[in-house]
Amino acid sequence: MLFSNFKQVVISGLLTNDLERKVSLREKQNKRLRADINSVLSYRGWIKSITNNTFDSTRIMGVVAATKGAENYLPYTIPKIITQVSDIGMMADIVIGLNNGFECHSVIECFSLIPNVQVIHLYTDDKLANDIPAKIFDNVKCEGELYYLSNIDYQKSQNRIFVVHQKEGEHTAGKIRVLGDIYGSLILKSIYNGWIPPTILVAFDAESQFLVEQKYQFIEPESNGLMLIIKELQNHPEIDILGTRTKFAVYQKGIIDKTSVLLPNFSEEIPPIQWFIELVHGRYSGFQWNSGGGICGRTDVILSLLVLIAERYPGIRIEDVHLTILAKHAGFIGKIFLDVVSTNRTPSLTDITIGEEQKKAWIEQIFRWNTGYQGLKSCYGDHNIKLIVSNKIPLSLFTEPIEFLKMFKGKDKIKTKTLFKKIKTLIIAFFTFQKINNKTLDKPDILQGSQTKASW
């Protein structure tokens, strides 16, 4: 009897301590989220104040970070985006951040041959820390006055491409690091010095194409998905951020304008987890993040979010998900535009990683994304992010199955063989993801500190 009472007291004490730890952690996560939101709103208020809430409605700004391999995509994605902007009746300012010493001279030289395009080369000096934006100059020696964007250069050409050559260094490796230089140094400081930025900013990846795919039926390869996005933002000024659905594709070699490139092959089968994400992205709770391949929105909103993220979380590798979480809690109005997709490269089922330990590349892609998710979960708590990003199957798949079955079917005719193949793919996706998730539980990305790594 005495032993039984003692056991009960010990168990009760352990449960109490565990509950107190969970409550304490939850409070810390909530406090961190509130502090980040306050800073984002402060940045936005400052931008609106210093610009007198005046923005350039004739131009669109695009920002892309590029590293090794980007030379296979930029030769066609950049000209295509400029063409899409021109077809809208607007002009483009595209900022390409070449990360950590990466160069692609021949690609950049070709951009200067595009009619009505001016290429401007910019250079960063040493990045003093991973969370401090580097200074930017218009000469490779980084001498003289800092460079600021200007509204008076528009007469030289309709469209401008700014190539930011980020100096290789101890603190520069990683997409978020070069984005920190672009947003926190070039754009933010240019606004401070009198530049009136475009109303709309588009963040995209090197391989991004903005295409129309209505009701999951078929891709329109020559369509202008960016036009639909911009018109939606113009027609609905209350919307702050408009995302695209992710369209995964295995890329294959091709030739465009006598240049060897990698192009999406939409007919090749994609890996099972990527296929499931593609089906549910933008439609279901837990799959509501904005895809980094195509985020469009008000410049003051996106700028305030990404400046904060780069400044406080230099280890983030899924800044698109991070942005969505902060935007949601900051009260910004956003949605995912389901009829427009942005392409995202995924390895084929047979691709193997390069290195001492060879692994399936498509699994490593999901592993990397999931370690980023675990990092955000640790940072803000599952209770604050689960509606946006989750590793659980959404319950609405079962409570509202008809819509999912339509997507599940896609453009394929219902045949027994096709049905069983898709069900098998779904099962593989589920069990494979559970294995990946178990491996990443104790391996979250470290988002803050001097030892963070934002590259792979």
Side-chain angles (χ1 to χ4, degrees), residues 367-422:
F367 182 90
R368 185 171 67 247
W369 291 342
N370 210 47
T371 57
Y373 157 73
Q374 297 292 354
L376 286 173
K377 183 178 175 182
S378 176
C379 180
Y380 295 131
D382 183 60
H383 60 289
N384 283 319
I385 73 172
K386 63 183 179 182
L387 295 180
I388 295 160
V389 58
S390 174
N391 58 3
K392 297 179 176 62
I393 295 177
L395 291 176
S396 47
L397 287 187
F398 307 103
T399 58
E400 301 174 5
I402 302 301
E403 188 63 29
F404 177 72
L405 290 174
K406 289 180 181 178
M407 295 183 294
F408 184 80
K409 169 186 170 293
K411 62 179 180 290
D412 297 323
K413 294 181 179 179
I414 292 296
K415 294 181 180 178
T416 303
K417 183 179 179 181
T418 303
L419 183 62
F420 276 111
K421 182 180 179 181
K422 289 194 171 187

Side-chain angles (χ1 to χ4, degrees), residues 336-349:
I336 296 175
F337 199 72
L338 296 177
D339 287 343
V340 176
V341 298
S342 57
T343 53
N344 192 334
R345 184 186 181 188
T346 185
S348 72
L349 287 164

